[in-house]
Amino acid sequence: MNDQLRRPPAAPPLLRLYLAPESTVPRRIDGAWWPRTFDLLAELPSLLSGLPRAWGQIVSVLVNGTGWAGAPGRMLVCNQVVRLRRTTKARTPSTIVLMAPAHGRRDLLVVPPEATEQAAESLMSARGLTPEQGHFAS
């Protein structure tokens, strides 16, 4: 028998996801996501599992191909195949687009992983995302 105490497994880091308030008026950005790295294979599962159920089952994700590492054509996330697409258009480097059948499209601002908290807040407020109006997902 081993007398050494075992450390409990480390808790996964909290998802840094800010959601704009629900509205009937369409908007360009539905929230902001602040991943810890630009490794899509590592970051996407926690993002998709942390989204509101009302957003539906995400089946397709569009990212800017120049910023993300490790983006195959599809991957298994939460026991579901998610199609991953890339774009290289200059106008989309800081967003991720999530699509769900019958629920539409949601666009999230991507805050660079290396951003400070102050820089993240500044980026979000520049896009009209204010913490007073929305909420952070947990």
Side-chain angles (χ1 to χ4, degrees):
M1 187 170 214
N2 189 349
D3 291 338
Q4 293 181 358
L5 293 175
R6 292 186 187 175
R7 287 187 174 185
L14 292 176
L15 176 63
R16 299 185 295 185
L17 176 65
Y18 170 82
L19 302 175
E22 285 297 320
S23 173
T24 56
V25 178
R27 71 175 130 252
R28 293 187 66 153
I29 296 293
D30 298 294
W33 176 43
W34 188 6
R36 287 177 168 67
T37 69
F38 274 118
D39 182 350
L40 195 59
L41 293 176
E43 300 289 341
L44 192 59
S46 65
L47 171 64
L48 295 185
S49 65
L51 294 174
R53 290 181 188 247
W55 284 23
Q57 191 172 26
I58 305 299
V59 298
S60 182
V61 174
L62 175 67
V63 296
N64 185 291
T66 60
W68 293 96
R74 56 189 151 187
M75 67 185 282
L76 188 63
V77 179
C78 303
N79 293 323
Q80 160 196 340
V81 175
V82 176
R83 185 173 150 210
L84 302 176
R85 297 184 344 206
R86 292 175 178 256
T87 183
T88 55
K89 292 183 180 178
R91 64 181 176 84
T92 60
S94 61
T95 59
I96 184 168
V97 179
L98 310 169
M99 291 171 263
H103 292 276
R105 166 185 171 151
R106 303 287 180 141
D107 292 36
L108 297 176
L109 169 70
V110 176
V111 176
E114 69 277 1
T116 63
E117 194 167 325
Q118 183 178 1
E121 288 176 9
S122 178
L123 282 170
M124 289 191 295
S125 65
R127 291 290 191 105
L129 301 170
T130 58
E132 300 79 33
Q133 294 176 338
H135 67 280
F136 287 92
S138 54

